[in-house]
Amino acid sequence: MANNSVGNTGRVLWAGLRALLVLTVVCGVLYPLAVTGIAQLAFPGKANGSEIESGGRVVGSELIGQTYNLPLKDGEETAARDLKWFQPRPSNGLGTNSVNTQYSIILSGATNRSGDNEDLITWVKDAKAAVVKDNSTASYTVKPSDVPADAVTSSGSGLDPHISPEYARLQVHRIAEKNHLTVARVDKLVADHTDGRVLGFIGEPRVNVLKLNIALKELTRG
């Protein structure tokens, strides 16, 4: 009886080991390689992070927003916006890495504030005042009622790479003045980089800020 018991146990263990080895090879090696290969063949751009290149080098991803600020000066806690570039949405929901301080990491996230939260109300009011001030020029005055919602509120991730066409057009006069361009040329630049709804009915029209600023850089060089 003892020999039979040991034999049965050995067969069960050997069967389990073989199953482990087979599943490890199939699920841990063959399947990932197959999925990676198909993705690289069918969607190479998306599979590699939707990278955007400019001047022969990768400058970002079309899926992740960036800030366009001036260099931080001594005594400043927050860098000032570089107003010669189109500006993205606010990113009040971003956090800092306080767990593993070995790495300098920005944490994605939302503000998680309710509509009647005093902090959120203050952020929105301050952001609206800044948008009106920054985008008003000698020949063009921005009205508070002209400021769209995405200009004063952050997205759920805090890393939205897009702004609305309304917010992009609101910045046209400032961009034209700062870069010594005509309003018509900048307005056309925004129109050319406005993406419509997906399949014609999903989502809203949008403008990728990084792509728009790359085009602006090329326009100013020309």
Side-chain angles (χ1 to χ4, degrees), residues 82-138:
D82 191 345
L83 297 180
K84 71 178 182 179
W85 302 109
F86 284 94
Q87 293 297 314
R89 297 181 65 172
S91 52
N92 294 325
L94 297 184
T96 55
N97 175 32
S98 59
V99 179
N100 187 347
T101 55
Q102 179 181 356
Y103 302 99
S104 178
I105 301 174
I106 296 177
L107 305 182
S108 171
T111 60
N112 291 326
R113 301 293 199 279
S114 63
D116 59 354
N117 181 270
E118 293 184 1
D119 289 338
L120 179 61
I121 293 173
T122 299
W123 290 340
V124 170
K125 288 182 177 179
D126 290 346
K128 177 175 282 191
V131 169
V132 170
K133 178 183 177 182
D134 291 345
N135 291 283
S136 294
T137 66

Side-chain angles (χ1 to χ4, degrees), residues 128 132 142-148:
K128 177 175 282 191
V132 170
V142 176
K143 300 176 182 178
S145 58
D146 295 334
V147 179

Side-chain angles (χ1 to χ4, degrees), residues 66 68 80 84 114 131 134 153 158 160 168 173 177 221:
Q66 298 186 18
Y68 302 88
K84 71 178 182 179
S114 63
V131 169
D134 291 345
T153 56
D160 191 347
H173 286 79
E177 181 182 83
R221 282 181 175 177

Side-chain angles (χ1 to χ4, degrees), residues 172 176 180-192 218-220 222:
V172 163
H180 308 291
L181 298 168
T182 64
V183 171
R185 291 188 73 184
V186 181
D187 200 38
K188 183 177 185 303
L189 192 71
V190 171
D192 291 343
E218 294 174 352
L219 183 62
T220 55

Side-chain angles (χ1 to χ4, degrees), residues 44-73:
K46 291 181 171 59
N48 292 319
S50 299
E51 296 172 337
I52 296 178
E53 293 186 1
S54 177
R57 64 188 183 93
V58 176
V59 296
S61 168
E62 64 180 273
L63 303 177
I64 300 176
Q66 298 186 18
T67 55
Y68 302 88
N69 298 328
L70 295 169
L72 193 65
K73 297 179 180 179

Side-chain angles (χ1 to χ4, degrees), residues 9-20:
T9 301
R11 285 193 294 272
V12 170
L13 291 175
W14 174 236
L17 180 60
R18 282 183 296 174
L20 174 63

